[in-house]
Amino acid sequence: MSSEAPSNANEGCVGPTSQEAGKAAACAGCPNQGACSSGAFSSPAALAAKEKEKANLHNALSEVSHVVLVLSGKGGVGKSTVSTQVAQSLSSRGYSVGLLDVDICGPSIPRMAGVLGREVHQSQSGWTPVYANPNLAVMSISFLLEEGDAAVVWRGPRKNGLIKQFLTETDWGVGGLDYLIIDTPPGTSDEHISIVQYLNDARSSGQGASGAIVVTTPEEVSMADVRKELNFCKKTSVPVLGVIENMSGLQTKVSDMRFMNDQSDDCTNDVLSMLKEKCPELLSMMAITDVFPSAGTGPQGMASKFGVPYLGKLPLDPNLLKSCEEGVSFVDQYPSSPGATPLNNIVDKLILALPVEDDEEEAEAMET
């Protein structure tokens, strides 16, 4: 498919400015066929408008070192959790980070980043994002809604228009960003196609997104959809930075567990008191159980089959969930929690895959 193809174009689109536009076999039944065959997309005015759009996108993102998409074909696997906590962790390490929420119909980033209910302000330089901390700027449709629980009932073109506005009109501040983390909705729909195309237009190197983190849970119901997402990345030439296996078992201290007897009555206090008296060393031990059954070779095997990195497992850690509800950095707030080390390892791998200029210079200096 051409990189200039509209988001609702047929598979195999030759591009709206091609001489075959509207005439090729792939154009049959496409909703844009009439406009393409009439030359509406290839007129001098249309081409000039397209070049202006590309220039605006390029200028808006010229000071962003790396753009990372967080994807998954499946909903509810923890994309927003991963997006937020990776961004929080990077900002805690001193990097300048932007967190862009393009899940237009289900924006959850503001709550997870601790900036729910805040508003963006518009100036001559564009929209000023909301800052979760001095190194972390957040942008979301949630900041533009008058009512927090209002449903966003928009068709594709309007959603795509807002995503383009986010990319072109958000002022990420003096000095730009080291990392722009983009949290996406589930699937491979209009929003995904559009944002890949916008990023391709914005980045002069020809490679739009620096890469994608793909999130899954261990069971086949999730992985079946995530395989489609990996194929989407392959078709759109988005490099896959790696697969994260989220919710990989529940890990918690015995002392943090609750207990019930055969009658379903809460007997937590009695059990903990007995353990403290009879076997106190058990209280500090970790209890681990698999919540989702792993299918076949699991996400690690899936990553291997697609030839992409496997970034590791994130357990179902109650403190991780609590951090997202409270809008705080998990690795800073709960450094000894079971999920903290795996998350730090994932961020280490991301930085290694996408070093910023200062990191590269420091590495070169150490070698010499």
Side-chain angles (χ1 to χ4, degrees):
M1 180 181 289
S2 167
S3 62
E4 296 181 341
S7 60
N8 60 344
N10 286 355
E11 182 74 20
C13 174
V14 296
T17 60
S18 168
Q19 291 184 347
E20 293 298 311
K23 306 170 188 175
C27 300
C30 177
N32 305 292
Q33 186 175 14
C36 287
S37 60
S38 71
F41 293 115
S42 57
S43 68
L47 293 175
K50 182 64 176 176
E51 287 304 312
K52 183 179 180 181
E53 177 185 292
K54 286 184 178 182
N56 289 339
L57 286 162
H58 174 70
N59 291 336
L61 296 178
S62 60
E63 295 298 318
V64 177
S65 297
H66 298 296
V67 180
V68 179
L69 300 174
V70 180
L71 305 170
S72 178
K74 193 70 175 173
V77 298
K79 290 183 305 299
S80 297
T81 296
V82 168
S83 299
T84 305
Q85 291 303 327
V86 165
Q88 292 268 25
S89 181
L90 286 168
S91 70
S92 294
R93 299 186 189 199
Y95 292 103
S96 179
V97 184
L99 181 55
L100 177 58
D101 185 359
V102 298
D103 191 347
I104 305 300
C105 295
S108 51
I109 291 296
R111 175 179 294 280
M112 292 185 173
V115 290
L116 189 66
R118 305 266 290 276
E119 296 180 356
V120 297
H121 300 283
Q122 203 156 17
S123 65
Q124 290 182 341
S125 57
W127 280 330
T128 301
V130 172
Y131 281 82
N133 65 53
N135 292 332
L136 179 56
V138 183
M139 189 64 192
S140 171
I141 190 177
S142 177
F143 303 137
L144 307 176
L145 299 176
E146 293 183 4
E147 173 62 44
D149 294 328
V152 179
V153 188
W154 290 1
R155 294 188 184 274
R158 192 174 180 188
K159 290 190 283 186
N160 295 340
L162 181 62
I163 291 171
K164 183 164 65 176
Q165 275 189 281
F166 281 157
L167 291 174
T168 57
E169 298 182 22
T170 303
D171 178 11
W172 296 109
V174 178
L177 299 173
D178 296 321
Y179 296 95
L180 175 59
I181 311 295
I182 301 181
D183 183 47
T184 67
T188 54
S189 56
D190 277 2
E191 295 98 316
H192 304 80
I193 299 169
S194 293
I195 198 161
V196 168
Q197 290 179 341
Y198 293 149
L199 291 174
N200 286 341
D201 290 343
R203 312 281 277 182
S204 57
S205 64
Q207 177 183 306
S210 304
I213 294 173
V214 180
V215 184
T216 186
T217 45
E219 80 283 8
E220 176 59 24
V221 169
S222 175
M223 292 198 299
D225 288 337
V226 172
R227 287 193 289 271
K228 298 179 178 69
E229 197 75 46
L230 290 169
N231 280 317
F232 168 83
C233 291
K234 184 176 180 180
K235 285 186 176 181
T236 56
S237 300
V238 175
V240 176
L241 299 170
V243 172
I244 292 177
E245 181 179 344
N246 195 27
M247 306 185 202
S248 178
L250 173 66
Q251 297 185 28
T252 186
K253 283 186 178 180
V254 172
S255 59
D256 293 333
M257 296 176 68
R258 295 178 59 188
F259 300 87
M260 291 191 301
N261 58 26
D262 293 341
Q263 288 74 44
S264 298
D265 297 324
D266 190 314
C267 58
T268 301
N269 290 336
D270 293 338
V271 171
L272 293 180
S273 296
M274 181 177 64
L275 289 175
K276 186 175 181 180
E277 178 184 349
K278 304 288 187 180
C279 194
E281 61 270 23
L282 282 178
L283 294 173
S284 59
M285 295 184 70
M286 299 298 300
I288 303 173
T289 184
D290 290 329
V291 178
F292 299 103
S294 184
T297 55
Q300 187 169 7
M302 178 180 66
S304 177
K305 182 179 179 181
F306 278 85
V308 300
Y310 177 70
L311 297 179
K313 300 179 179 182
L314 277 178
L316 261 173
D317 186 332
N319 288 328
L320 175 55
L321 308 180
K322 187 177 180 182
S323 296
C324 290
E325 284 293 310
E326 296 176 349
V328 298
S329 171
F330 167 60
V331 296
D332 292 334
Q333 199 79 3
Y334 302 99
S336 60
S337 202
T341 296
L343 182 58
N344 273 323
N345 290 340
I346 288 169
V347 174
D348 289 342
K349 292 175 183 177
L350 173 62
I351 295 171
L352 188 62
L354 300 175
V356 298
E357 188 174 332
D358 291 344
D359 291 339
E360 293 172 342
E361 293 175 353
E362 184 177 334
E364 290 175 2
M366 290 178 66
E367 289 177 0
T368 56

PDB file of all heavy atoms in Angstrom, residues 5-31:
ATOM      1  N   ALA A   5      -1.634   6.676   0.844  1.00  0.00           N
ATOM      2  CA  ALA A   5      -3.003   6.170   0.759  1.00  0.00           C
ATOM      3  C   ALA A   5      -3.862   6.715   1.891  1.00  0.00           C
ATOM      4  O   ALA A   5      -3.410   6.817   3.038  1.00  0.00           O
ATOM      5  CB  ALA A   5      -2.995   4.648   0.822  1.00  0.00           C
ATOM      6  N   PRO A   6      -5.110   7.093   1.610  1.00  0.00           N
ATOM      7  CA  PRO A   6      -6.030   7.485   2.681  1.00  0.00           C
ATOM      8  C   PRO A   6      -6.213   6.350   3.673  1.00  0.00           C
ATOM      9  O   PRO A   6      -6.055   5.169   3.314  1.00  0.00           O
ATOM     10  CB  PRO A   6      -7.334   7.791   1.924  1.00  0.00           C
ATOM     11  CG  PRO A   6      -6.922   8.065   0.509  1.00  0.00           C
ATOM     12  CD  PRO A   6      -5.721   7.200   0.276  1.00  0.00           C
ATOM     13  N   SER A   7      -6.569   6.682   4.904  1.00  0.00           N
ATOM     14  CA  SER A   7      -6.668   5.657   5.947  1.00  0.00           C
ATOM     15  C   SER A   7      -7.766   4.633   5.660  1.00  0.00           C
ATOM     16  O   SER A   7      -7.716   3.517   6.151  1.00  0.00           O
ATOM     17  CB  SER A   7      -6.910   6.312   7.307  1.00  0.00           C
ATOM     18  OG  SER A   7      -8.114   7.057   7.292  1.00  0.00           O
ATOM     19  N   ASN A   8      -8.762   5.028   4.843  1.00  0.00           N
ATOM     20  CA  ASN A   8      -9.856   4.101   4.541  1.00  0.00           C
ATOM     21  C   ASN A   8      -9.714   3.478   3.153  1.00  0.00           C
ATOM     22  O   ASN A   8     -10.675   2.974   2.576  1.00  0.00           O
ATOM     23  CB  ASN A   8     -11.209   4.813   4.649  1.00  0.00           C
ATOM     24  CG  ASN A   8     -11.324   5.987   3.688  1.00  0.00           C
ATOM     25  OD1 ASN A   8     -10.325   6.462   3.148  1.00  0.00           O
ATOM     26  ND2 ASN A   8     -12.541   6.478   3.494  1.00  0.00           N
ATOM     27  N   ALA A   9      -8.482   3.507   2.605  1.00  0.00           N
ATOM     28  CA  ALA A   9      -8.254   2.974   1.261  1.00  0.00           C
ATOM     29  C   ALA A   9      -8.235   1.449   1.263  1.00  0.00           C
ATOM     30  O   ALA A   9      -8.012   0.809   2.290  1.00  0.00           O
ATOM     31  CB  ALA A   9      -6.939   3.507   0.702  1.00  0.00           C
ATOM     32  N   ASN A  10      -8.438   0.876   0.090  1.00  0.00           N
ATOM     33  CA  ASN A  10      -8.366  -0.575  -0.075  1.00  0.00           C
ATOM     34  C   ASN A  10      -6.931  -1.069   0.076  1.00  0.00           C
ATOM     35  O   ASN A  10      -5.965  -0.308  -0.098  1.00  0.00           O
ATOM     36  CB  ASN A  10      -8.868  -0.978  -1.467  1.00  0.00           C
ATOM     37  CG  ASN A  10     -10.369  -0.881  -1.598  1.00  0.00           C
ATOM     38  OD1 ASN A  10     -11.063  -0.609  -0.628  1.00  0.00           O
ATOM     39  ND2 ASN A  10     -10.873  -1.105  -2.802  1.00  0.00           N
ATOM     40  N   GLU A  11      -6.805  -2.349   0.379  1.00  0.00           N
ATOM     41  CA  GLU A  11      -5.497  -2.998   0.370  1.00  0.00           C
ATOM     42  C   GLU A  11      -4.926  -2.903  -1.045  1.00  0.00           C
ATOM     43  O   GLU A  11      -5.615  -3.119  -2.032  1.00  0.00           O
ATOM     44  CB  GLU A  11      -5.648  -4.463   0.779  1.00  0.00           C
ATOM     45  CG  GLU A  11      -4.356  -5.231   0.851  1.00  0.00           C
ATOM     46  CD  GLU A  11      -3.529  -4.863   2.070  1.00  0.00           C
ATOM     47  OE1 GLU A  11      -4.100  -4.316   3.023  1.00  0.00           O
ATOM     48  OE2 GLU A  11      -2.320  -5.140   2.055  1.00  0.00           O
ATOM     49  N   GLY A  12      -3.650  -2.556  -1.151  1.00  0.00           N
ATOM     50  CA  GLY A  12      -3.012  -2.451  -2.457  1.00  0.00           C
ATOM     51  C   GLY A  12      -3.219  -1.114  -3.131  1.00  0.00           C
ATOM     52  O   GLY A  12      -2.986  -0.980  -4.339  1.00  0.00           O
ATOM     53  N   CYS A  13      -3.625  -0.102  -2.366  1.00  0.00           N
ATOM     54  CA  CYS A  13      -3.843   1.248  -2.910  1.00  0.00           C
ATOM     55  C   CYS A  13      -2.564   1.756  -3.592  1.00  0.00           C
ATOM     56  O   CYS A  13      -1.467   1.657  -3.043  1.00  0.00           O
ATOM     57  CB  CYS A  13      -4.246   2.199  -1.794  1.00  0.00           C
ATOM     58  SG  CYS A  13      -4.386   3.934  -2.293  1.00  0.00           S
ATOM     59  N   VAL A  14      -2.706   2.304  -4.794  1.00  0.00           N
ATOM     60  CA  VAL A  14      -1.548   2.806  -5.548  1.00  0.00           C
ATOM     61  C   VAL A  14      -1.193   4.232  -5.164  1.00  0.00           C
ATOM     62  O   VAL A  14      -0.168   4.760  -5.599  1.00  0.00           O
ATOM     63  CB  VAL A  14      -1.812   2.729  -7.068  1.00  0.00           C
ATOM     64  CG1 VAL A  14      -1.980   1.284  -7.495  1.00  0.00           C
ATOM     65  CG2 VAL A  14      -3.033   3.568  -7.462  1.00  0.00           C
ATOM     66  N   GLY A  15      -2.037   4.863  -4.339  1.00  0.00           N
ATOM     67  CA  GLY A  15      -1.780   6.235  -3.917  1.00  0.00           C
ATOM     68  C   GLY A  15      -2.631   7.217  -4.702  1.00  0.00           C
ATOM     69  O   GLY A  15      -2.822   7.055  -5.917  1.00  0.00           O
ATOM     70  N   PRO A  16      -3.164   8.239  -4.033  1.00  0.00           N
ATOM     71  CA  PRO A  16      -4.094   9.170  -4.687  1.00  0.00           C
ATOM     72  C   PRO A  16      -3.456  10.066  -5.740  1.00  0.00           C
ATOM     73  O   PRO A  16      -4.156  10.659  -6.548  1.00  0.00           O
ATOM     74  CB  PRO A  16      -4.636  10.002  -3.511  1.00  0.00           C
ATOM     75  CG  PRO A  16      -3.582   9.908  -2.459  1.00  0.00           C
ATOM     76  CD  PRO A  16      -2.980   8.540  -2.602  1.00  0.00           C
ATOM     77  N   THR A  17      -2.114  10.180  -5.734  1.00  0.00           N
ATOM     78  CA  THR A  17      -1.456  11.028  -6.731  1.00  0.00           C
ATOM     79  C   THR A  17      -0.897  10.227  -7.906  1.00  0.00           C
ATOM     80  O   THR A  17      -0.295  10.788  -8.817  1.00  0.00           O
ATOM     81  CB  THR A  17      -0.319  11.839  -6.076  1.00  0.00           C
ATOM     82  OG1 THR A  17       0.645  10.929  -5.520  1.00  0.00           O
ATOM     83  CG2 THR A  17      -0.861  12.733  -4.976  1.00  0.00           C
ATOM     84  N   SER A  18      -1.070   8.907  -7.868  1.00  0.00           N
ATOM     85  CA  SER A  18      -0.584   8.054  -8.952  1.00  0.00           C
ATOM     86  C   SER A  18      -1.406   8.267 -10.217  1.00  0.00           C
ATOM     87  O   SER A  18      -2.592   8.621 -10.169  1.00  0.00           O
ATOM     88  CB  SER A  18      -0.652   6.577  -8.537  1.00  0.00           C
ATOM     89  OG  SER A  18      -0.456   5.725  -9.641  1.00  0.00           O
ATOM     90  N   GLN A  19      -0.776   8.039 -11.371  1.00  0.00           N
ATOM     91  CA  GLN A  19      -1.502   8.132 -12.637  1.00  0.00           C
ATOM     92  C   GLN A  19      -2.584   7.061 -12.741  1.00  0.00           C
ATOM     93  O   GLN A  19      -3.535   7.196 -13.508  1.00  0.00           O
ATOM     94  CB  GLN A  19      -0.528   7.999 -13.812  1.00  0.00           C
ATOM     95  CG  GLN A  19       0.412   9.185 -13.973  1.00  0.00           C
ATOM     96  CD  GLN A  19       1.291   9.061 -15.194  1.00  0.00           C
ATOM     97  OE1 GLN A  19       1.375   7.992 -15.796  1.00  0.00           O
ATOM     98  NE2 GLN A  19       1.949  10.157 -15.565  1.00  0.00           N
ATOM     99  N   GLU A  20      -2.431   5.986 -11.959  1.00  0.00           N
ATOM    100  CA  GLU A  20      -3.409   4.898 -11.960  1.00  0.00           C
ATOM    101  C   GLU A  20      -4.488   5.091 -10.895  1.00  0.00           C
ATOM    102  O   GLU A  20      -5.358   4.232 -10.729  1.00  0.00           O
ATOM    103  CB  GLU A  20      -2.696   3.562 -11.722  1.00  0.00           C
ATOM    104  CG  GLU A  20      -1.777   3.139 -12.861  1.00  0.00           C
ATOM    105  CD  GLU A  20      -2.544   2.922 -14.157  1.00  0.00           C
ATOM    106  OE1 GLU A  20      -3.568   2.212 -14.118  1.00  0.00           O
ATOM    107  OE2 GLU A  20      -2.140   3.483 -15.184  1.00  0.00           O
ATOM    108  N   ALA A  21      -4.421   6.208 -10.168  1.00  0.00           N
ATOM    109  CA  ALA A  21      -5.380   6.444  -9.085  1.00  0.00           C
ATOM    110  C   ALA A  21      -6.816   6.416  -9.610  1.00  0.00           C
ATOM    111  O   ALA A  21      -7.148   7.101 -10.578  1.00  0.00           O
ATOM    112  CB  ALA A  21      -5.102   7.788  -8.414  1.00  0.00           C
ATOM    113  N   GLY A  22      -7.647   5.606  -8.970  1.00  0.00           N
ATOM    114  CA  GLY A  22      -9.041   5.480  -9.368  1.00  0.00           C
ATOM    115  C   GLY A  22      -9.276   4.522 -10.518  1.00  0.00           C
ATOM    116  O   GLY A  22     -10.424   4.236 -10.856  1.00  0.00           O
ATOM    117  N   LYS A  23      -8.182   4.031 -11.126  1.00  0.00           N
ATOM    118  CA  LYS A  23      -8.318   3.167 -12.293  1.00  0.00           C
ATOM    119  C   LYS A  23      -7.775   1.762 -12.059  1.00  0.00           C
ATOM    120  O   LYS A  23      -8.166   0.823 -12.747  1.00  0.00           O
ATOM    121  CB  LYS A  23      -7.581   3.788 -13.491  1.00  0.00           C
ATOM    122  CG  LYS A  23      -7.989   5.219 -13.800  1.00  0.00           C
ATOM    123  CD  LYS A  23      -7.048   5.839 -14.817  1.00  0.00           C
ATOM    124  CE  LYS A  23      -7.323   7.327 -15.004  1.00  0.00           C
ATOM    125  NZ  LYS A  23      -6.321   7.951 -15.902  1.00  0.00           N
ATOM    126  N   ALA A  24      -6.842   1.621 -11.122  1.00  0.00           N
ATOM    127  CA  ALA A  24      -6.206   0.330 -10.876  1.00  0.00           C
ATOM    128  C   ALA A  24      -7.214  -0.674 -10.326  1.00  0.00           C
ATOM    129  O   ALA A  24      -8.268  -0.304  -9.784  1.00  0.00           O
ATOM    130  CB  ALA A  24      -5.037   0.489  -9.910  1.00  0.00           C
ATOM    131  N   ALA A  25      -6.872  -1.954 -10.442  1.00  0.00           N
ATOM    132  CA  ALA A  25      -7.775  -3.013  -9.975  1.00  0.00           C
ATOM    133  C   ALA A  25      -8.044  -2.883  -8.478  1.00  0.00           C
ATOM    134  O   ALA A  25      -9.159  -3.159  -8.019  1.00  0.00           O
ATOM    135  CB  ALA A  25      -7.159  -4.376 -10.287  1.00  0.00           C
ATOM    136  N   ALA A  26      -7.038  -2.446  -7.721  1.00  0.00           N
ATOM    137  CA  ALA A  26      -7.208  -2.318  -6.272  1.00  0.00           C
ATOM    138  C   ALA A  26      -8.176  -1.208  -5.894  1.00  0.00           C
ATOM    139  O   ALA A  26      -8.627  -1.134  -4.750  1.00  0.00           O
ATOM    140  CB  ALA A  26      -5.847  -2.053  -5.621  1.00  0.00           C
ATOM    141  N   CYS A  27      -8.512  -0.333  -6.862  1.00  0.00           N
ATOM    142  CA  CYS A  27      -9.398   0.801  -6.568  1.00  0.00           C
ATOM    143  C   CYS A  27     -10.871   0.405  -6.552  1.00  0.00           C
ATOM    144  O   CYS A  27     -11.718   1.171  -6.079  1.00  0.00           O
ATOM    145  CB  CYS A  27      -9.189   1.913  -7.592  1.00  0.00           C
ATOM    146  SG  CYS A  27      -7.507   2.568  -7.646  1.00  0.00           S
ATOM    147  N   ALA A  28     -11.188  -0.763  -7.087  1.00  0.00           N
ATOM    148  CA  ALA A  28     -12.587  -1.185  -7.198  1.00  0.00           C
ATOM    149  C   ALA A  28     -13.254  -1.240  -5.833  1.00  0.00           C
ATOM    150  O   ALA A  28     -12.775  -1.912  -4.919  1.00  0.00           O
ATOM    151  CB  ALA A  28     -12.669  -2.545  -7.882  1.00  0.00           C
ATOM    152  N   GLY A  29     -14.353  -0.488  -5.678  1.00  0.00           N
ATOM    153  CA  GLY A  29     -15.106  -0.493  -4.430  1.00  0.00           C
ATOM    154  C   GLY A  29     -14.557   0.423  -3.358  1.00  0.00           C
ATOM    155  O   GLY A  29     -15.156   0.549  -2.285  1.00  0.00           O
ATOM    156  N   CYS A  30     -13.426   1.092  -3.609  1.00  0.00           N
ATOM    157  CA  CYS A  30     -12.846   1.995  -2.604  1.00  0.00           C
ATOM    158  C   CYS A  30     -13.708   3.244  -2.483  1.00  0.00           C
ATOM    159  O   CYS A  30     -14.146   3.811  -3.504  1.00  0.00           O
ATOM    160  CB  CYS A  30     -11.418   2.373  -2.991  1.00  0.00           C
ATOM    161  SG  CYS A  30     -10.648   3.563  -1.858  1.00  0.00           S
ATOM    162  N   PRO A  31     -13.968   3.733  -1.270  1.00  0.00           N
ATOM    163  CA  PRO A  31     -14.803   4.937  -1.114  1.00  0.00           C
ATOM    164  C   PRO A  31     -14.161   6.187  -1.709  1.00  0.00           C
ATOM    165  O   PRO A  31     -14.835   7.186  -1.923  1.00  0.00           O
ATOM    166  CB  PRO A  31     -14.960   5.065   0.414  1.00  0.00           C
ATOM    167  CG  PRO A  31     -13.834   4.282   0.988  1.00  0.00           C
ATOM    168  CD  PRO A  31     -13.588   3.157   0.035  1.00  0.00           C
TER     169      PRO A  31
END
